[in-house]
Amino acid sequence: MVSSPKPWNREKEPFAELISAAAIATRVAELGAKITEDYKDKEDVVVIGVLKGSVIFLADLARHIALPIKLEFIGISSYGDATVSSGVVQITQDVSTPIEGKHVIVVEDIVDTGHTVGYLLENLKTRRPASIALASLLHKPERQERDVKIDYLGFTIPNKFVVGYGLDVAQQYRNLPYIGYVTGA
Ligand code: IMP
């Protein structure tokens, strides 16, 4: 008998719900169906999750892609002030196999200024994949400084700091099942 997870104590959470777990599940299923359709005739599809923020989105999305994909992970960190994305990005953990000739889908949690994923896509393109696409759960257009094409977008959100479903505040709350914004309550 599978038991449901115990609900969080919402009174104590310093967050307000922005996107419910149910709304996320519906949208992720739609994105997975679209990717399945777009890649159904392609071989060698590699889905690369950007650590750590994408892991929960990736785990759900991958199970809605009804094709034999491979999963890889890449770790990146930005230099400098953590709250201001500088665009100077370091790869801290690379994918385990070459992507040359492969159809790559990069999975991100959020495109904020666009610097991090912009750098990453540029880096991966130099490795000559057959194609490269970007899936991002969230996009904050008000903050965007660098133009990045998001091929598979979950939700456009306002300029608020959000947490949950993979996104953290000081490394915590990635396991929150919904997307909330910090209210400081
Ligand atoms: P960018 O380079 O400004 O696009 O920032 C991308 C990274 O910053 C994301 O992959 C997240 O890890 C982090 N980030 C940006 N906005 C938020 C937020 O609202 N909550 C949590 N993390 C965020």
Side-chain angles (χ1 to χ4, degrees):
M1 175 85 171
V2 181
S3 58
S4 317
K6 220 169 145 35
W8 286 64
N9 181 351
R10 298 222 163 174
E11 313 268 290
K12 285 199 178 161
E13 290 163 34
F15 312 119
E17 185 175 286
L18 186 66
I19 309 169
S20 70
I24 295 169
T26 302
R27 187 72 189 120
V28 171
E30 287 169 1
L31 294 179
K34 179 83 173 73
I35 291 172
T36 304
E37 181 57 27
D38 292 353
Y39 286 80
K40 64 177 189 293
D41 299 325
K42 304 259 193 312
E43 280 174 27
D44 288 331
V45 180
V46 182
V47 175
I48 304 178
V50 183
L51 294 170
K52 299 171 188 167
S54 77
V55 292
I56 294 182
F57 175 40
L58 174 67
D60 286 343
L61 181 66
R63 284 177 289 176
H64 284 285
I65 302 174
L67 299 169
I69 57 170
K70 285 184 179 156
L71 295 183
E72 287 283 347
F73 293 94
I74 199 159
I76 51 178
S77 73
S78 300
Y79 285 117
D81 185 340
T83 59
V84 183
S85 188
S86 57
V88 186
V89 178
Q90 186 185 19
I91 293 183
T92 54
Q93 181 185 320
D94 211 339
V95 291
S96 65
T97 49
I99 57 165
E100 184 167 357
K102 311 267 168 71
H103 293 284
V104 170
I105 305 171
V106 174
V107 178
E108 256 287 22
D109 52 356
I110 185 165
V111 175
D112 186 26
T113 62
H115 288 303
T116 306
V117 82
Y119 169 87
L120 184 61
L121 291 172
E122 214 170 77
N123 179 295
L124 293 175
K125 276 178 197 161
T126 65
R127 306 179 192 192
R128 301 160 170 267
S131 67
I132 189 158
L134 173 64
S136 182
L137 179 69
L138 304 174
H139 180 213
K140 269 188 216 171
E142 284 169 58
R143 294 253 310 161
Q144 192 159 346
E145 290 172 6
R146 179 169 176 168
D147 201 27
V148 177
K149 179 171 173 272
I150 306 173
D151 303 278
Y152 304 98
L153 173 63
F155 302 92
T156 297
I157 61 165
N159 185 11
K160 290 181 188 294
F161 192 84
V162 290
V163 294
Y165 200 70
L167 291 109
D168 72 303
V169 56
Q171 294 300 327
Q172 286 186 307
Y173 292 105
R174 293 190 194 276
N175 57 322
L176 201 69
Y178 61 92
I179 305 276
Y181 61 91
V182 179
T183 57

